[in-house]
Amino acid sequence: MTLAEIQKKLESNIDQSQVTMEGDGCNCSTVVVSPIFEGLSLLQRQRIVLAVVSEEIKSGELHALSVKTYTPKER
């Protein structure tokens, strides 16, 4: 799975999100900015992001994804 594919999947599944990716294929990191994170804990935010790619992680197609999340106000 390419970084562009991961980015597209996250942007398609997390409302009003801006996603940036770094890394190499199966080991990468992402920064996701979305207003849906307003009022949520860091753990809740990470769960939302990781749920989008859970099948890829389970299958081994995506080995690890480091996640940072922000609301637009926090950026």
Side-chain angles (χ1 to χ4, degrees):
M1 181 166 228
T2 68
L3 293 181
E5 291 170 331
I6 299 166
Q7 180 175 352
K8 183 177 180 179
K9 185 165 186 169
L10 291 172
E11 288 174 340
S12 297
N13 288 279
I14 300 175
D15 289 340
Q16 302 174 44
S17 63
Q18 296 175 326
V19 178
T20 55
M21 301 293 303
E22 290 184 358
D24 62 358
C26 65
N27 290 299
C28 53
S29 63
T30 186
V31 175
V32 183
V33 180
S34 176
I36 70 161
F37 298 137
E38 187 74 40
L40 299 179
S41 70
L42 292 176
L43 182 58
Q44 290 170 316
R45 294 174 182 198
Q46 287 189 344
R47 284 181 176 160
I48 289 169
V49 175
L50 292 174
V52 174
V53 292
S54 65
E55 290 303 313
E56 289 79 2
I57 292 172
K58 286 178 189 174
S59 73
E61 188 176 4
L62 179 60
H63 181 261
L65 180 64
S66 172
V67 177
K68 292 184 182 179
T69 58
Y70 301 95
T71 66
K73 293 177 186 176
E74 294 169 336
R75 272 312 236 188

